[in-house]
Amino acid sequence: GAGVSQSPSNKVTEKGKDVELRCDPISGHTALYWYRQSLGQGLEFLIYFQGNSAPDKSGLPSDRFSAERTGGSVSTLTIQRTQQEDSAVYLCASRQQGVGLGEQYFGPGTRLTVT
Amino acid sequence: AQKVTQAQTEISVVEKEDVTLDCVYETRDTTYYLFWYKQPPSGELVFLIRRNSFDEQNEISGRYSWNFQKSTSSFNFTITASQVVDSAVYFCALSDNAGGTSYGKLTFGQGTILTVHP
């Protein structure tokens, strides 16, 4: 079946611009996560969505970052007024909720470069 | 707070050598999960193995094996008879309890770059 898809695969933007990154999880997976991978910080958790529950935003680095998940499926991560330190690969993952903890399946990521 | 440490930043081996990747974790949870993920040059994280804190039975799957020891908080991963295609970054990760409304968000180690030379 189809895996997690993300778009765009690459995004170059100027400092101060807003960007939107999209994630399409595996069909039927109710849990969705955003992570960021950067040279200095490694892989960091950003935000988590589970069904209709309030998201866990504890990993968002600043209020310039926000995310939403519409209809329990597609998610969009928005970064406002981008800064050079936002340059990173943004990874989305989904997981099937159930008994025990299933593994997370990751998308190919969006490489964001802020110039 | 949870923490995962992969002390080996880079490992270089020659094909057919065995290689062990070390992972040490810290958590206050009594129930938790441990994972290994592989990130080949293409960039996509690929799931390899999951273990829960109640299952210390070690396992062998093909050329891969895992050694989970709660007493030392370690979850090491071994590749036997390494191949060039094993070259990748390997991440160890820890997750909190999956029961109830817990999130299962992953805390990753810094990764180990494995290079297998022909």
Side-chain angles (χ1 to χ4, degrees), chain B residues 9 19-20 42 44 47 68 108:
Chain B
T9 304
V19 57
T20 294
S42 60
E44 195 157 337
F47 165 77
F68 174 32
F108 286 90

PDB file of all heavy atoms in Angstrom, chain B residues 9 19-20 42 44 47 68 108:
ATOM      1  N   THR B   9      29.810   7.789  16.876  1.00  0.00           N
ATOM      2  CA  THR B   9      29.363   8.729  15.853  1.00  0.00           C
ATOM      3  C   THR B   9      29.496   8.116  14.467  1.00  0.00           C
ATOM      4  O   THR B   9      28.588   8.222  13.639  1.00  0.00           O
ATOM      5  CB  THR B   9      30.189  10.020  15.933  1.00  0.00           C
ATOM      6  OG1 THR B   9      30.101  10.553  17.246  1.00  0.00           O
ATOM      7  CG2 THR B   9      29.685  11.039  14.942  1.00  0.00           C
ATOM      8  N   VAL B  19      29.381  -5.996  12.880  1.00  0.00           N
ATOM      9  CA  VAL B  19      29.454  -4.665  13.488  1.00  0.00           C
ATOM     10  C   VAL B  19      28.324  -4.513  14.494  1.00  0.00           C
ATOM     11  O   VAL B  19      27.186  -4.931  14.226  1.00  0.00           O
ATOM     12  CB  VAL B  19      29.410  -3.552  12.421  1.00  0.00           C
ATOM     13  CG1 VAL B  19      28.163  -3.651  11.560  1.00  0.00           C
ATOM     14  CG2 VAL B  19      29.520  -2.177  13.052  1.00  0.00           C
ATOM     15  N   THR B  20      28.626  -3.957  15.647  1.00  0.00           N
ATOM     16  CA  THR B  20      27.624  -3.728  16.689  1.00  0.00           C
ATOM     17  C   THR B  20      27.479  -2.232  16.947  1.00  0.00           C
ATOM     18  O   THR B  20      28.467  -1.536  17.164  1.00  0.00           O
ATOM     19  CB  THR B  20      28.011  -4.445  17.997  1.00  0.00           C
ATOM     20  OG1 THR B  20      27.979  -5.861  17.775  1.00  0.00           O
ATOM     21  CG2 THR B  20      27.019  -4.109  19.105  1.00  0.00           C
ATOM     22  N   SER B  42      19.207   7.796   0.730  1.00  0.00           N
ATOM     23  CA  SER B  42      17.988   8.370   0.158  1.00  0.00           C
ATOM     24  C   SER B  42      17.254   9.252   1.159  1.00  0.00           C
ATOM     25  O   SER B  42      16.425  10.079   0.777  1.00  0.00           O
ATOM     26  CB  SER B  42      17.056   7.261  -0.325  1.00  0.00           C
ATOM     27  OG  SER B  42      16.694   6.424   0.760  1.00  0.00           O
ATOM     28  N   GLU B  44      15.062   8.448   3.733  1.00  0.00           N
ATOM     29  CA  GLU B  44      13.837   8.009   4.404  1.00  0.00           C
ATOM     30  C   GLU B  44      14.171   7.089   5.574  1.00  0.00           C
ATOM     31  O   GLU B  44      14.961   6.167   5.450  1.00  0.00           O
ATOM     32  CB  GLU B  44      12.949   7.284   3.402  1.00  0.00           C
ATOM     33  CG  GLU B  44      11.519   7.099   3.866  1.00  0.00           C
ATOM     34  CD  GLU B  44      10.568   6.895   2.701  1.00  0.00           C
ATOM     35  OE1 GLU B  44      10.902   7.306   1.577  1.00  0.00           O
ATOM     36  OE2 GLU B  44       9.486   6.342   2.940  1.00  0.00           O
ATOM     37  N   PHE B  47      11.971   1.569   9.461  1.00  0.00           N
ATOM     38  CA  PHE B  47      11.843   0.840  10.714  1.00  0.00           C
ATOM     39  C   PHE B  47      12.542  -0.511  10.615  1.00  0.00           C
ATOM     40  O   PHE B  47      12.396  -1.230   9.622  1.00  0.00           O
ATOM     41  CB  PHE B  47      10.354   0.647  11.014  1.00  0.00           C
ATOM     42  CG  PHE B  47      10.073  -0.376  12.069  1.00  0.00           C
ATOM     43  CD1 PHE B  47      10.265  -0.079  13.401  1.00  0.00           C
ATOM     44  CD2 PHE B  47       9.623  -1.636  11.721  1.00  0.00           C
ATOM     45  CE1 PHE B  47       9.996  -1.021  14.381  1.00  0.00           C
ATOM     46  CE2 PHE B  47       9.350  -2.586  12.690  1.00  0.00           C
ATOM     47  CZ  PHE B  47       9.540  -2.283  14.022  1.00  0.00           C
ATOM     48  N   PHE B  68      18.973  -6.608  24.169  1.00  0.00           N
ATOM     49  CA  PHE B  68      18.294  -5.679  25.053  1.00  0.00           C
ATOM     50  C   PHE B  68      18.583  -6.086  26.488  1.00  0.00           C
ATOM     51  O   PHE B  68      18.269  -7.212  26.888  1.00  0.00           O
ATOM     52  CB  PHE B  68      16.789  -5.708  24.775  1.00  0.00           C
ATOM     53  CG  PHE B  68      15.951  -4.881  25.719  1.00  0.00           C
ATOM     54  CD1 PHE B  68      16.426  -3.711  26.282  1.00  0.00           C
ATOM     55  CD2 PHE B  68      14.665  -5.291  26.038  1.00  0.00           C
ATOM     56  CE1 PHE B  68      15.648  -2.964  27.139  1.00  0.00           C
ATOM     57  CE2 PHE B  68      13.872  -4.545  26.891  1.00  0.00           C
ATOM     58  CZ  PHE B  68      14.364  -3.385  27.449  1.00  0.00           C
ATOM     59  N   PHE B 108      15.077  10.312  19.884  1.00  0.00           N
ATOM     60  CA  PHE B 108      16.108   9.668  19.092  1.00  0.00           C
ATOM     61  C   PHE B 108      17.495   9.915  19.667  1.00  0.00           C
ATOM     62  O   PHE B 108      17.770  10.961  20.266  1.00  0.00           O
ATOM     63  CB  PHE B 108      16.113  10.217  17.663  1.00  0.00           C
ATOM     64  CG  PHE B 108      14.971   9.751  16.812  1.00  0.00           C
ATOM     65  CD1 PHE B 108      13.789  10.469  16.769  1.00  0.00           C
ATOM     66  CD2 PHE B 108      15.071   8.595  16.047  1.00  0.00           C
ATOM     67  CE1 PHE B 108      12.726  10.058  15.981  1.00  0.00           C
ATOM     68  CE2 PHE B 108      14.013   8.170  15.254  1.00  0.00           C
ATOM     69  CZ  PHE B 108      12.841   8.899  15.213  1.00  0.00           C
TER      70      PHE B 108
END
